[in-house]
Amino acid sequence: MKIHLSVLVFFLMGLVANAQAGDKPESFLKQGSHLVGGSFTFSSAGDTYYENTDGDRTQEWIVRPTGGYFVADNLAIDLHIEGRWFIQGEVLNSHYSMGPIMQYYFDVVGDDEPKGHAIPYLGLGYLWGLAREDRADSELKFKSGMWSMGAGVSWMLSNVVAMDFELNYQTGEFTEKIPVDGVSRDANRISLFLGVKAFLP
């Protein structure tokens, strides 16, 4: 876990260090420009897959690197990769998922420079994943499919780099593969992603 966090921190520091505060990029939110970023997040998850033996929601931490491309003005397709880990008593649970997210950014910048603006956006996508649950006397494996819906704001620290805040809701199911193939459990989660995002030509 500490290794994953160190890699993410150095990655985000590199984005900030390399950001330029010059003129407004011609490709800002325009077709053909790129996105890259990442976040470290706290999540509260519920429903039958996530609940513990007392019926309480599971609390966990998440690492999420992202990268994308603007396929049209203000509209980007982002690839999200998520790594989640939690320990609940003697149970160690890990979940890795990835998938495309379509994000629409509302251009509130106009002819101004991006720096200092808060740019709202909406996102919708689908994530496929694999989960593993290790207990003292058994091992469970699942495949997952989750719809992801988010609303966020990118607050521009410079003309390139933004602090990113996203409220995200995911809903779907986990299908058991080991030890019983085919048993499904519903799942949902609410997450607040806090991270850094760079808009690049």
Side-chain angles (χ1 to χ4, degrees):
M1 182 66 171
K2 292 181 180 179
I3 295 176
H4 291 288
L5 294 180
S6 298
V7 171
L8 179 64
V9 168
F10 283 117
F11 171 72
L12 297 181
M13 288 176 60
L15 286 179
V16 175
N18 291 324
Q20 302 297 320
D23 295 333
K24 175 183 176 181
E26 293 182 1
S27 59
F28 183 77
L29 299 183
K30 300 298 182 183
Q31 182 177 0
S33 59
H34 299 79
L35 289 172
V36 63
S39 59
F40 177 64
T41 306
F42 173 77
S43 174
S44 175
D47 249 332
T48 54
Y49 178 79
Y50 290 110
E51 289 176 352
N52 63 17
T53 54
D54 298 324
D56 297 326
R57 296 177 72 87
T58 294
Q59 317 301 318
E60 62 184 327
W61 295 95
I62 310 156
V63 173
R64 181 179 74 163
T66 65
Y69 179 79
F70 280 86
V71 295
D73 290 355
N74 305 333
L75 183 64
I77 299 296
D78 228 10
L79 176 64
H80 285 207
I81 302 173
E82 295 185 6
R84 302 173 180 262
W85 304 268
F86 69 86
I87 297 175
Q88 201 172 69
E90 297 182 353
V91 179
L92 172 62
N93 190 303
S94 60
H95 181 210
Y96 301 92
S97 61
M98 65 183 299
I101 305 291
M102 183 171 61
Q103 294 181 326
Y104 183 84
Y105 290 80
F106 296 89
D107 189 354
V108 297
V109 175
D111 294 329
D112 296 337
E113 290 188 354
K115 183 178 179 180
H117 284 82
I119 303 171
Y121 64 89
L122 297 174
L124 175 66
Y126 195 81
L127 303 176
W128 294 271
L130 295 173
R132 178 173 173 167
E133 187 175 295
D134 291 310
R135 299 175 179 267
D137 57 352
S138 64
E139 175 187 86
L140 285 76
K141 292 184 178 180
F142 301 83
K143 64 179 182 179
S144 66
M146 302 285 284
W147 285 101
S148 176
M149 294 160 276
V153 174
S154 294
W155 179 47
M156 302 301 297
L157 301 177
S158 73
N159 287 338
V160 177
V161 172
M163 286 292 295
D164 198 61
F165 308 89
E166 181 189 340
L167 181 63
N168 182 268
Y169 176 74
Q170 294 182 10
T171 182
E173 65 179 16
F174 283 69
T175 302
E176 190 172 324
K177 303 301 294 180
I178 296 175
V180 180
D181 191 7
V183 177
S184 295
R185 304 184 191 180
D186 293 332
N188 71 76
R189 69 168 69 244
I190 299 172
S191 305
L192 179 61
F193 289 105
L194 307 174
V196 176
K197 182 179 293 181
F199 296 83
L200 305 172

